[in-house]
Amino acid sequence: MTGDPSLAGRKNYLTRIARAKDMRRWPRRDCRLCVGLLCTQQGVRVIRKGQVWLHNVSEGGALASTRMTNIPTHFYIYFGDYQYFIGCVIVGESNEMLHLRFIREQPTEFIDILSRLTDPFEFKSKVRLSLYGLPEKPGTKDESGEQPLAGFAS
């Protein structure tokens, strides 16, 4: 985990933003998915990769666990072959679990699909994002005409 049992001392601006929205607006949906974790250290000179297990998820956050240590308060989880990224902030820790807040709200259709998946390793290789309610190309608009809500890798 992050090595710090108390997040009270963290003064990162992303953590402050996440705590400002402490009220849960969306229901959590149970899931069991293994996705990638990407974080930077020493500025952007060191990039670390790992795995994170999502135990429940909502449009605004997730409950997750990982064996990785010294995780910074902000990092990315990614789906597929670096195809879809979600920026995350750790807002709490309990019993080896990370309480995450997403930097941007995720589409409800995507979250609903995540909660229905039965293969925990669905996102360990390249996937067709349109099957999960996401646009295939970075920066493209979805059917509703809105821009994507999370960052993408090219």
Side-chain angles (χ1 to χ4, degrees), residues 21-28 56 58 62-63 99 101:
K21 302 184 212 174
D22 238 2
M23 298 297 291
R24 190 170 286 167
R25 294 180 7 193
W26 303 279
R28 291 285 176 110
N56 69 41
S58 75
L63 181 66
H99 301 267
R101 172 95 51 202

Side-chain angles (χ1 to χ4, degrees), residues 116-127:
R116 290 191 300 258
L117 293 175
T118 56
D119 180 6
F121 302 105
E122 179 91 14
F123 291 106
K124 294 309 286 179
S125 59
K126 190 168 181 132
V127 294

